[in-house]
Amino acid sequence: MTTRISTRTTTRIEADQLADLSSGAVLLATGGGGDPYVSYLSARQTLTAMGPVTLLKPEALTDDAYVVAIGGVGAPSVGLELLPSSDEPARALAAFEAHVGRKIDALVSFEVGGGNSMIPLIAGASSGLPVIDGDGMGRALPEAQMMTFPIAGVAPTPALALDYAGNTATFSTDSTATYERHVRAMAQAMGGMILTVEHPMTGAELKRSVVPETISFSIELGRVLRERRGNAEALIAPLRAAFADSIYGELRHLYTGKIADSASQVIGGYDVGRVRIESFDEAQPDLLIDIRNEYLVARLAADSEDEGRVVSSVPDLISLLDLETGAPINSERVRFGQRVAVIAIGCPDFYREPRALAVVAPRCFGFDFDYVPLEALPAP
């Protein structure tokens, strides 16, 4: 523990908490963030061997502390084939410290979602560094400029990427948009998935930009999913209660049905596709969900009387739950015939500010409509 960290606002994450964290993070990931299972196994092995990871509230840092974000960049489907190694995060951190000539005081996830919720913990356990209870999205989003860090003015570089073969590349760019293009191209060139250390910031910058307490909240959500495991529709009430007391707010049950069609392909380093869900009630129109790594827009099928009415959209959260177990489903694991319940959740207030909507509103993804908050949309 360095002198730049107060021990009064710290807790520890033990290996036996990782399953709940992984499950809750998949729910918040809105389909993205990478498949959590392999990262969960790696994190469990690392924490079992190395001991628990210190989890810090943002206010535990002094203003001059040095913090970096760490996680995976690429198409989540590639992560099912290009399996990570548990020593990669520590090697990436060591290479970054050598590159900048400075020691890191703490780590933060750039997105709480899926596998990216585990990577900072693996890095923290391996290197002895604490991890911030918070992240740069409060969910998962596909592009770097969509993080709260750059929206609040934190530069993405100097940054470093490490690939599956141990090769590294460094970045120094004039903007986050440029960094996103370069790091995405590098991910494609290095096999489709890379590990990055990026957005170095001071403790003061972290405190004004981080989405707080998302790691501990993911553990709480995972506990609810585990204790209430079973029919997804029976989970709606306890999940709604958990979200009501959080920074997210409203949870709405959008739809129940089975996957009638699912198609995606890797385009420009993203998993891009669409899911069609058929209701068990033949009178109800199908639900369409557009994907770009994450579930971005849910709308009723255009051949219905609602003419493609949007029922939820980014930056609010959309998640699919397995109907029989209540387990959240990542977008790369959606399959024909799955029976699912679809829920939508309000996003943190940060993402409803004009500066954030300028980079995360539906039009930023090519959709021809403006963002309307979930609570202002009529229910399906």
Side-chain angles (χ1 to χ4, degrees), residues 337-377:
Q338 286 174 318
R339 294 155 60 89
V340 299
V342 184
I343 60 174
I345 303 155
C347 64
D349 288 342
F350 184 101
Y351 277 112
R352 297 188 178 189
E353 297 177 13
R355 60 176 179 167
L357 289 174
V359 292
V360 299
R363 293 187 187 276
C364 300
F365 298 89
F367 300 105
D368 191 23
F369 58 87
D370 295 321
Y371 167 67
V372 178
L374 176 65
E375 64 271 15
L377 289 169

Side-chain angles (χ1 to χ4, degrees), residues 198-227:
E198 58 184 56
H199 285 88
M201 68 193 94
T202 65
E205 289 174 320
L206 175 90
K207 283 180 270 192
R208 62 179 171 80
S209 62
V210 73
V211 183
E213 300 184 15
T214 52
I215 305 303
S216 54
F217 184 57
S218 293
I219 295 173
E220 179 186 348
L221 290 177
R223 179 186 57 78
V224 172
L225 292 169
R226 171 174 50 82
E227 292 179 351

